[in-house]
Amino acid sequence: MRRRLPGRGIRPEFAQYATLSRAARLLDDFRFEQTDPARFYGAIAADTAQMVGDWHDRPLRDAVILDVGGGPGYFADAFDRRGAHYISVEPDPSEMHAGGLEHRTSVRGSGQQLPFADRSMDVTFSSNVVEHTREPWRMADEMLRVTRPGGTVIISYTLWWGPFGGHEMGLTHYVGGHRAARWYTRRHGHPPKNLYGTSLFPVTAAQGLRWAGTVAGADVVGAFPRYLPSWLWWVMRVPCLREILGTNLVLVLRKR
């Protein structure tokens, strides 16, 4: 079974797009995740559409795209502009309606049991969802199941030991997820949206790379840190260092 090492097999288009200025823009937008979600998710949506378009082997026009954990649907417009047929699936109805957007192509369902037929999607992706899932690799298996042969699966997620692993709890997650949640609640008067053990879980790069390297029926064509410039992608080949400096791992697989 053919496998590629993390960071190898880089698509030139996305490597050229992954610059230091792009990284700085995205990191700056993170400040608005809670206060101005339309700005934050709009920027992430445009970046995600660029990433998916560069890694998928065919044009996105008329491609069927499944966004697993699509939340309020901020990504829909970004893919519509590329001529794709966008579908999102989200288990939480409050998340689906949080942005006040129309949901013409949204389906309520679980990532661990996707309500779609085998081999029905050209591209299946999830952006910053794995760390909010109790069974992330079961979800990943489901994403592969619904993807057509020759299709692309892209899984991007926040690494627990990186500086953003605690999400709105900041760097306090380094003293423990439950303790960080208690400190946040004491300071703000309410628990964090991303509550450790309930809606936030510690997921590592090693876990994702292990899953991708052993899964049947797909080849790994890319593994890189999403928010770093391409000249730093080598960190994903260094155990321990990748967990801290990588911040977010993107796994790209081609379904056989």
Side-chain angles (χ1 to χ4, degrees), residues 19-237:
T19 62
L20 183 60
S21 60
R22 165 194 172 257
R25 287 194 307 272
L26 290 173
L27 289 174
D28 182 64
D29 286 325
F30 273 113
R31 297 184 296 118
F32 300 95
E33 180 179 8
Q34 305 263 325
T35 58
D36 189 358
R39 170 176 174 172
F40 169 73
Y41 286 107
I44 293 296
D47 188 79
T48 300
Q50 177 74 44
M51 178 172 67
V52 171
D54 281 352
W55 284 92
H56 188 50
D57 268 353
R58 304 177 185 88
L60 291 187
R61 179 164 295 280
D62 295 326
V64 181
I65 311 286
L66 176 62
D67 178 1
V68 179
Y74 286 114
F75 287 25
D77 288 345
F79 284 97
D80 287 346
R81 285 192 289 270
R82 291 173 174 261
H85 301 292
Y86 173 88
I87 304 169
S88 69
V89 60
E90 169 62 46
D92 186 347
S94 63
E95 280 293 312
M96 292 180 74
H97 299 288
L101 307 176
E102 292 187 34
H103 289 273
R104 293 184 297 272
T105 58
S106 294
V107 176
R108 186 179 176 189
S110 168
Q112 285 78 46
Q113 293 179 309
L114 290 172
F116 302 102
D118 295 358
R119 303 181 175 190
S120 55
M121 305 294 165
D122 294 301
V123 177
T124 307
F125 80 90
S126 70
S127 178
N128 299 321
V129 174
V130 161
E131 68 269 24
H132 303 294
T133 307
R134 288 186 182 275
E135 299 178 279
W137 311 119
R138 181 179 173 188
M139 182 186 84
D141 287 338
E142 276 288 279
M143 292 171 65
L144 277 172
R145 177 185 66 79
V146 303
T147 305
R148 293 170 180 154
T152 306
V153 175
I154 300 179
I155 303 171
S156 170
Y157 66 95
T158 305
L159 303 177
W160 175 250
W161 294 114
F164 305 108
H167 286 56
E168 70 268 38
M169 293 182 291
L171 300 176
T172 60
H173 71 293
Y174 286 124
V175 301
H178 291 299
R179 181 178 296 172
R182 289 195 300 270
W183 288 358
Y184 182 96
T185 302
R186 189 179 305 134
R187 178 179 179 183
H188 295 277
H190 60 82
K193 174 185 176 182
N194 300 291
L195 184 61
Y196 183 82
T198 300
S199 56
L200 180 64
F201 303 91
V203 189
T204 66
Q207 292 170 353
L209 293 168
R210 183 164 54 249
W211 170 82
T214 58
V215 69
D219 294 314
V220 181
V221 295
F224 58 94
R226 177 170 183 176
Y227 301 120
L228 297 185
S230 58
W231 47 269
L232 282 175
W233 286 2
W234 57 266
V235 301
M236 279 302 160
R237 297 197 292 272

